[in-house]
Amino acid sequence: MLRGTVERIPYEEFFDKAFARNSFHLWPDRRAGLWEIQRVPKRGGTLVLSFDGPARRVVDLGSVRNALQEAGFERIDNPQAL
């Protein structure tokens, strides 16, 4: 069994999709986590970040968008619908 954290994912170009629900705001190093998630998917992979309930009240979607752009994500769809 391989174990890792969002900042150190023990795979290379392995995933088609990544999904995080109500956890992004809890990541110890969000920037490093996004860079790592940018590194591991297959070409054309997708990341979905979802926020509801209490998480939606503490997450600033503008900051999430900026962090995604800084990490090199090229297509950021409808962040208000997260």
Side-chain angles (χ1 to χ4, degrees), residues 7-75:
E7 297 92 0
R8 302 195 85 206
I9 301 171
Y11 294 95
E12 296 283 335
E13 296 183 11
F14 185 80
F15 300 100
D16 294 317
K17 298 176 179 114
F19 177 74
R21 180 173 184 216
N22 295 336
S23 66
F24 178 74
H25 62 290
L26 302 173
W27 296 359
D29 186 340
R30 285 178 228 134
R31 183 177 185 169
L34 288 175
W35 279 102
E36 188 69 350
I37 290 173
Q38 176 74 340
R39 180 189 69 78
V40 298
K42 296 177 184 175
R43 187 162 180 80
T46 301
L47 166 64
V48 174
L49 297 174
S50 174
F51 308 100
D52 59 26
R56 189 164 178 107
R57 291 189 291 273
V58 299
V59 171
D60 173 38
L61 296 179
S63 294
V64 173
R65 176 184 263 290
N66 291 340
L68 289 165
Q69 289 172 332
E70 288 174 12
F73 287 87
E74 296 175 2
R75 182 176 167 201

